[in-house]
Every structure is written in structure tokens, then in C-alpha cells.
């Protein structure tokens, strides 16, 4: 899901049951993939942090960011629209 920070906060609140006070403290980095491990009932299974957050932000190296830019430029030059 690609969404605005506030929408992602609402999704995290719904999945994790984070209260409003702790939700305000949840920092969601721009463009960072967010991973949730879910059980059969679609409930997060990771241990919560001090705010109740159970998601995991994946790190992307500068080289990976540059690769995506290069691929996007190559498709643009060929006239193929690609969005991330």
C-alpha cells in the first residue's frame, strides 16, 4: 500500500490497536517499506515496541534507490510509464 503518512498511521493503529497518544509518537519514514508478519486471523505476530507498534521498517541502501531511479529512467526513455 502506498499512502500518505496519516493514512499509514491509521492502518498501523487499526492493525496494532495503538492509542491516540502513542500514535502521535509513531514516526513513519517517507518511502520506507513497512512489513507486518500476520497470523491466520490477520493479526500482527511480532512483539510490540513501547508504543504498541508491531510493524518493521525495511532499510533501503542508496545503491538500491539509484537502481530504481535508473530503471524508471530507462522505462521513461522507452515511453513506458512506471510508477512506484
Amino acid at each position: 500500500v502506498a499512502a500518505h503518512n496519516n493514512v499509514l498511521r491509521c492502518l498501523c493503529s487499526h492493525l496494532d490497536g495503538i492509542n491516540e497518544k502513542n500514535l502521535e509518537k509513531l514516526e513513519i519514514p517517507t518511502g520506507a517499506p513497512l512489513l507486518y508478519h500476520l497470523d491466520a486471523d490477520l493479526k500482527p505476530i511480532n512483539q510490540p515496541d513501547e508504543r504498541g507498534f508491531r510493524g518493521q521498517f525495511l532499510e533501503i541502501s542508496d545503491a538500491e534507490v539509484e537502481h530504481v531511479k535508473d530503471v524508471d529512467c530507462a522505462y521513461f526513455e522507452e515511453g513506458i510509464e512506471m510508477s512506484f
Side-chain angles (χ1 to χ4, degrees):
V1 174
H4 188 272
N5 268 353
N6 289 337
V7 173
L8 294 174
R9 273 193 187 85
C10 289
L11 289 172
C12 293
S13 173
H14 179 75
L15 283 170
D16 295 324
I18 300 173
N19 65 38
E20 190 173 326
K21 179 183 172 187
N22 285 334
L23 191 60
E24 292 173 2
K25 298 176 187 176
L26 180 60
E27 292 294 325
I28 298 180
T30 300
L34 173 57
L35 176 67
Y36 271 92
H37 294 279
L38 306 173
D39 65 15
D41 296 321
L42 301 179
K43 302 290 183 195
I45 58 175
N46 291 0
Q47 291 298 314
D49 67 9
E50 66 278 357
R51 298 165 303 217
F53 177 66
R54 295 173 187 259
Q56 173 187 2
F57 292 106
L58 304 181
E59 295 198 21
I60 300 176
S61 70
D62 291 341
E64 290 170 314
V65 170
E66 290 305 314
H67 176 72
V68 169
K69 288 180 183 177
D70 290 343
V71 169
D72 191 32
C73 287
Y75 277 94
F76 179 75
E77 290 170 3
E78 295 293 323
I80 300 170
E81 187 173 328
M82 187 174 183
S83 61
F84 297 93

